[in-house]
PDB file of all heavy atoms in Angstrom:
ATOM      1  N   LEU A 390      95.749 117.200  93.361  1.00 92.00           N
ATOM      2  CA  LEU A 390      95.082 115.918  93.289  1.00 92.00           C
ATOM      3  C   LEU A 390      94.789 115.392  94.688  1.00 92.00           C
ATOM      4  O   LEU A 390      95.517 115.657  95.627  1.00 92.00           O
ATOM      5  CB  LEU A 390      95.957 114.895  92.531  1.00 92.00           C
ATOM      6  CG  LEU A 390      96.124 115.176  91.025  1.00 92.00           C
ATOM      7  CD1 LEU A 390      97.241 114.320  90.470  1.00 92.00           C
ATOM      8  CD2 LEU A 390      94.829 114.933  90.260  1.00 92.00           C
ATOM      9  N   ASP A 391      93.702 114.628  94.786  1.00 92.00           N
ATOM     10  CA  ASP A 391      93.323 114.068  96.073  1.00 92.00           C
ATOM     11  C   ASP A 391      94.224 112.899  96.461  1.00 92.00           C
ATOM     12  O   ASP A 391      94.972 112.331  95.637  1.00 92.00           O
ATOM     13  CB  ASP A 391      91.858 113.522  95.941  1.00 92.00           C
ATOM     14  CG  ASP A 391      91.248 113.314  97.315  1.00 92.00           C
ATOM     15  OD1 ASP A 391      91.869 113.627  98.350  1.00 92.00           O
ATOM     16  OD2 ASP A 391      90.083 112.845  97.341  1.00 92.00           O
ATOM     17  N   ASN A 392      94.196 112.564  97.740  1.00 87.00           N
ATOM     18  CA  ASN A 392      94.885 111.378  98.334  1.00 87.00           C
ATOM     19  C   ASN A 392      96.411 111.479  98.247  1.00 87.00           C
ATOM     20  O   ASN A 392      97.063 110.442  98.252  1.00 87.00           O
ATOM     21  CB  ASN A 392      94.393 110.110  97.643  1.00 87.00           C
ATOM     22  CG  ASN A 392      92.941 109.834  97.894  1.00 87.00           C
ATOM     23  OD1 ASN A 392      92.485 109.953  99.007  1.00 87.00           O
ATOM     24  ND2 ASN A 392      92.218 109.482  96.849  1.00 87.00           N
ATOM     25  N   ILE A 393      96.939 112.661  98.163  1.00 89.00           N
ATOM     26  CA  ILE A 393      98.407 112.820  98.222  1.00 89.00           C
ATOM     27  C   ILE A 393      98.809 113.316  99.623  1.00 89.00           C
ATOM     28  O   ILE A 393      99.702 112.799 100.237  1.00 89.00           O
ATOM     29  CB  ILE A 393      98.893 113.790  97.138  1.00 89.00           C
ATOM     30  CG1 ILE A 393      98.606 113.208  95.761  1.00 89.00           C
ATOM     31  CG2 ILE A 393     100.392 114.065  97.310  1.00 89.00           C
ATOM     32  CD1 ILE A 393      98.998 114.139  94.612  1.00 89.00           C
ATOM     33  N   ILE A 394      98.095 114.346 100.114  1.00 89.00           N
ATOM     34  CA  ILE A 394      98.323 114.847 101.458  1.00 89.00           C
ATOM     35  C   ILE A 394      97.241 114.268 102.385  1.00 89.00           C
ATOM     36  O   ILE A 394      96.064 114.339 102.106  1.00 89.00           O
ATOM     37  CB  ILE A 394      98.210 116.380 101.495  1.00 89.00           C
ATOM     38  CG1 ILE A 394      99.340 117.039 100.696  1.00 89.00           C
ATOM     39  CG2 ILE A 394      98.264 116.880 102.964  1.00 89.00           C
ATOM     40  CD1 ILE A 394     100.743 116.822 101.252  1.00 89.00           C
ATOM     41  N   ASN A 395      97.694 113.589 103.426  1.00 89.00           N
ATOM     42  CA  ASN A 395      96.791 113.077 104.479  1.00 89.00           C
ATOM     43  C   ASN A 395      96.369 114.268 105.328  1.00 89.00           C
ATOM     44  O   ASN A 395      97.184 114.803 106.107  1.00 89.00           O
ATOM     45  CB  ASN A 395      97.462 112.012 105.314  1.00 89.00           C
ATOM     46  CG  ASN A 395      96.556 111.396 106.327  1.00 89.00           C
ATOM     47  OD1 ASN A 395      95.407 111.865 106.530  1.00 89.00           O
ATOM     48  ND2 ASN A 395      97.003 110.343 106.986  1.00 89.00           N
ATOM     49  N   THR A 396      95.123 114.686 105.201  1.00 91.00           N
ATOM     50  CA  THR A 396      94.683 115.910 105.896  1.00 91.00           C
ATOM     51  C   THR A 396      94.234 115.652 107.371  1.00 91.00           C
ATOM     52  O   THR A 396      93.879 116.585 108.058  1.00 91.00           O
ATOM     53  CB  THR A 396      93.517 116.530 105.111  1.00 91.00           C
ATOM     54  OG1 THR A 396      92.442 115.617 105.015  1.00 91.00           O
ATOM     55  CG2 THR A 396      93.974 116.983 103.763  1.00 91.00           C
ATOM     56  N   SER A 397      94.265 114.397 107.788  1.00 89.00           N
ATOM     57  CA  SER A 397      93.839 114.123 109.166  1.00 89.00           C
ATOM     58  C   SER A 397      94.725 114.838 110.173  1.00 89.00           C
ATOM     59  O   SER A 397      95.976 114.776 110.103  1.00 89.00           O
ATOM     60  CB  SER A 397      93.903 112.594 109.423  1.00 89.00           C
ATOM     61  OG  SER A 397      93.039 111.905 108.538  1.00 89.00           O
ATOM     62  N   HIS A 398      94.138 115.550 111.087  1.00 87.00           N
ATOM     63  CA  HIS A 398      94.862 116.245 112.162  1.00 87.00           C
ATOM     64  C   HIS A 398      95.862 117.276 111.615  1.00 87.00           C
ATOM     65  O   HIS A 398      96.891 117.530 112.228  1.00 87.00           O
ATOM     66  CB  HIS A 398      95.564 115.250 113.084  1.00 87.00           C
ATOM     67  CG  HIS A 398      94.704 114.096 113.506  1.00 87.00           C
ATOM     68  ND1 HIS A 398      93.590 114.248 114.280  1.00 87.00           N
ATOM     69  CD2 HIS A 398      94.809 112.780 113.210  1.00 87.00           C
ATOM     70  CE1 HIS A 398      93.033 113.080 114.506  1.00 87.00           C
ATOM     71  NE2 HIS A 398      93.733 112.157 113.856  1.00 87.00           N
ATOM     72  N   THR A 399      95.572 117.889 110.485  1.00 88.00           N
ATOM     73  CA  THR A 399      96.510 118.845 109.892  1.00 88.00           C
ATOM     74  C   THR A 399      95.972 120.256 109.848  1.00 88.00           C
ATOM     75  O   THR A 399      96.706 121.188 109.574  1.00 88.00           O
ATOM     76  CB  THR A 399      96.870 118.450 108.464  1.00 88.00           C
ATOM     77  OG1 THR A 399      95.698 118.487 107.652  1.00 88.00           O
ATOM     78  CG2 THR A 399      97.501 117.062 108.409  1.00 88.00           C
ATOM     79  N   GLY A 400      94.669 120.453 110.069  1.00 92.00           N
ATOM     80  CA  GLY A 400      94.064 121.736 109.879  1.00 92.00           C
ATOM     81  C   GLY A 400      93.798 122.068 108.441  1.00 92.00           C
ATOM     82  O   GLY A 400      93.480 123.223 108.101  1.00 92.00           O
ATOM     83  N   LEU A 401      93.894 121.072 107.552  1.00 96.00           N
ATOM     84  CA  LEU A 401      93.638 121.229 106.151  1.00 96.00           C
ATOM     85  C   LEU A 401      92.496 120.351 105.686  1.00 96.00           C
ATOM     86  O   LEU A 401      92.232 119.306 106.274  1.00 96.00           O
ATOM     87  CB  LEU A 401      94.906 120.902 105.339  1.00 96.00           C
ATOM     88  CG  LEU A 401      96.164 121.723 105.587  1.00 96.00           C
ATOM     89  CD1 LEU A 401      97.316 121.173 104.777  1.00 96.00           C
ATOM     90  CD2 LEU A 401      95.897 123.197 105.226  1.00 96.00           C
ATOM     91  N   THR A 402      91.852 120.746 104.606  1.00 96.00           N
ATOM     92  CA  THR A 402      90.745 119.982 104.030  1.00 96.00           C
ATOM     93  C   THR A 402      90.878 119.974 102.516  1.00 96.00           C
ATOM     94  O   THR A 402      91.238 120.978 101.926  1.00 96.00           O
ATOM     95  CB  THR A 402      89.395 120.604 104.406  1.00 96.00           C
ATOM     96  OG1 THR A 402      89.231 120.586 105.823  1.00 96.00           O
ATOM     97  CG2 THR A 402      88.224 119.844 103.752  1.00 96.00           C
ATOM     98  N   PHE A 403      90.601 118.808 101.912  1.00 97.00           N
ATOM     99  CA  PHE A 403      90.557 118.708 100.466  1.00 97.00           C
ATOM    100  C   PHE A 403      89.084 118.745 100.022  1.00 97.00           C
ATOM    101  O   PHE A 403      88.279 117.956 100.505  1.00 97.00           O
ATOM    102  CB  PHE A 403      91.216 117.441  99.975  1.00 97.00           C
ATOM    103  CG  PHE A 403      91.147 117.261  98.461  1.00 97.00           C
ATOM    104  CD1 PHE A 403      92.096 117.819  97.633  1.00 97.00           C
ATOM    105  CD2 PHE A 403      90.079 116.540  97.880  1.00 97.00           C
ATOM    106  CE1 PHE A 403      92.027 117.657  96.261  1.00 97.00           C
ATOM    107  CE2 PHE A 403      90.015 116.392  96.505  1.00 97.00           C
ATOM    108  CZ  PHE A 403      90.985 116.940  95.704  1.00 97.00           C
ATOM    109  N   VAL A 404      88.765 119.639  99.075  1.00 97.00           N
ATOM    110  CA  VAL A 404      87.425 119.718  98.546  1.00 97.00           C
ATOM    111  C   VAL A 404      87.504 119.528  97.018  1.00 97.00           C
ATOM    112  O   VAL A 404      88.189 120.298  96.350  1.00 97.00           O
ATOM    113  CB  VAL A 404      86.756 121.059  98.878  1.00 97.00           C
ATOM    114  CG1 VAL A 404      85.330 121.116  98.299  1.00 97.00           C
ATOM    115  CG2 VAL A 404      86.711 121.317 100.387  1.00 97.00           C
ATOM    116  N   PRO A 405      86.807 118.532  96.464  1.00 97.00           N
ATOM    117  CA  PRO A 405      86.904 118.289  94.998  1.00 97.00           C
ATOM    118  C   PRO A 405      86.205 119.345  94.178  1.00 97.00           C
ATOM    119  O   PRO A 405      85.293 120.025  94.658  1.00 97.00           O
ATOM    120  CB  PRO A 405      86.243 116.906  94.840  1.00 97.00           C
ATOM    121  CG  PRO A 405      85.309 116.802  96.021  1.00 97.00           C
ATOM    122  CD  PRO A 405      85.945 117.564  97.132  1.00 97.00           C
ATOM    123  N   LEU A 406      86.593 119.431  92.921  1.00 96.00           N
ATOM    124  CA  LEU A 406      85.968 120.344  91.968  1.00 96.00           C
ATOM    125  C   LEU A 406      84.709 119.735  91.406  1.00 96.00           C
ATOM    126  O   LEU A 406      84.594 118.508  91.299  1.00 96.00           O
ATOM    127  CB  LEU A 406      86.935 120.693  90.871  1.00 96.00           C
ATOM    128  CG  LEU A 406      88.263 121.372  91.245  1.00 96.00           C
ATOM    129  CD1 LEU A 406      89.103 121.618  90.010  1.00 96.00           C
ATOM    130  CD2 LEU A 406      88.010 122.680  91.973  1.00 96.00           C
ATOM    131  N   ALA A 407      83.786 120.557  90.984  1.00 94.00           N
ATOM    132  CA  ALA A 407      82.560 120.123  90.283  1.00 94.00           C
ATOM    133  C   ALA A 407      82.288 121.074  89.141  1.00 94.00           C
ATOM    134  O   ALA A 407      82.339 122.293  89.278  1.00 94.00           O
ATOM    135  CB  ALA A 407      81.386 120.111  91.262  1.00 94.00           C
ATOM    136  N   PRO A 408      82.034 120.499  87.946  1.00 94.00           N
ATOM    137  CA  PRO A 408      81.987 119.080  87.651  1.00 94.00           C
ATOM    138  C   PRO A 408      83.366 118.414  87.849  1.00 94.00           C
ATOM    139  O   PRO A 408      84.365 119.095  87.771  1.00 94.00           O
ATOM    140  CB  PRO A 408      81.540 118.999  86.184  1.00 94.00           C
ATOM    141  CG  PRO A 408      81.948 120.317  85.612  1.00 94.00           C
ATOM    142  CD  PRO A 408      81.763 121.311  86.720  1.00 94.00           C
TER     143      PRO A 408
END
Side-chain angles (χ1 to χ4, degrees):
L390 292 166
D391 197 5
N392 296 316
I393 297 176
I394 296 293
N395 183 352
T396 58
S397 300
H398 312 297
T399 63
L401 299 175
T402 298
F403 177 87
V404 181
L406 300 178

